[in-house]
Amino acid sequence: MPEKSTIQAAKASFLPAMRELVRTYQAFSSYSEAHVRQFDLTPAQFDVIATLGNTNGLSMGEIGEKTLITKGTLTGVIDRLIKKQLVIREVPQDNRRNVIVQLTDQGQELFEQSFPSHIAHLKERFDLLQPTEVEVLTNLLVQLRQAFQK
C-alpha cells in the first residue's frame, strides 16, 4: 500500500498544470518541427539560421545565449550548417579566440524564405487566441519561468 506522502504528492494541485504545460510544449514542438523540416533543417539548425538572420554574424557565445541550444550541441549544429554551405566560421585577426559565425549568401536566402514562412505558420495557431489571452499567457509563462530560476 502506498505511503501517505506518496498519495499526497500524487494529489499536488499543480500536477494538472504541469502535465498540460508538457503536453502543450510537445504539441508546439511537433507542429513547429514538421514545418521546419520542409526546409531540410532540424529545429536546432533553424534556430541558428533564424538567430543569425539580419546580423553581420555572431560569436559562438552569442549564438549560445540567443538560442535554445546547449554549448555542447552548438558546435555540431554549426558544423552541419557549414557542410550544407549555409554558414561560415571566421576568426578575426585581432582576436583569434573569438570565432564569428555568419550566414553565407545561400544561408541568407534560406533565412529570407524560411523565417517569414515559419512565423506565418505559427501565427495561424496563435491567432486562435485573443490578443489579451496571448498577453495573459505570456505573463504567466514569464512568472513560471522566474519561479524556477530562483
Side-chain angles (χ1 to χ4, degrees):
M1 183 150 176
E3 290 186 32
K4 186 177 180 182
S5 62
T6 304
I7 293 169
Q8 288 174 328
K11 293 180 180 180
S13 62
F14 70 90
L15 286 178
M18 181 187 71
R19 284 188 191 105
E20 195 55 42
L21 179 64
V22 171
R23 287 181 186 131
T24 300
Y25 175 75
Q26 290 170 335
F28 171 84
S29 183
S30 176
Y31 181 80
S32 177
E33 182 177 334
H35 186 257
V36 164
R37 293 237 179 242
Q38 295 176 8
F39 300 104
D40 193 31
L41 296 172
T42 66
Q45 291 170 349
F46 177 80
D47 198 359
V48 170
I49 296 291
T51 300
L52 289 172
N54 296 324
T55 72
N56 292 323
L58 299 169
S59 70
M60 292 287 282
E62 290 171 319
I63 296 169
E65 290 172 11
K66 294 176 186 269
T67 65
L68 303 175
I69 305 167
T70 62
K71 287 183 181 182
T73 303
L74 184 57
T75 300
V77 171
I78 298 296
D79 289 345
R80 286 183 283 287
L81 288 172
I82 289 170
K83 285 181 184 174
K84 291 182 175 192
Q85 300 179 340
L86 298 173
V87 302
I88 57 170
R89 274 193 198 103
E90 290 195 356
V91 180
Q93 291 295 330
D94 59 336
N95 186 354
R96 310 255 336 132
R97 289 188 286 164
N98 192 26
V99 176
I100 301 296
V101 180
Q102 296 176 303
L103 291 176
T104 61
D105 289 342
Q106 185 179 341
Q108 182 63 32
E109 286 176 27
L110 181 60
F111 167 73
E112 291 171 6
Q113 174 193 7
S114 64
F115 187 72
S117 173
H118 193 59
I119 294 302
H121 182 71
L122 296 177
K123 184 179 182 303
E124 290 175 15
R125 297 301 185 224
F126 278 94
D127 280 350
L128 297 174
L129 300 173
Q130 296 298 315
T132 55
E133 292 172 322
V134 174
E135 186 177 341
V136 168
L137 175 62
T138 301
N139 290 333
L140 289 171
L141 289 171
V142 167
Q143 288 177 32
L144 183 60
R145 177 178 44 82
Q146 289 172 345
F148 281 98
Q149 291 177 329
K150 293 182 177 178

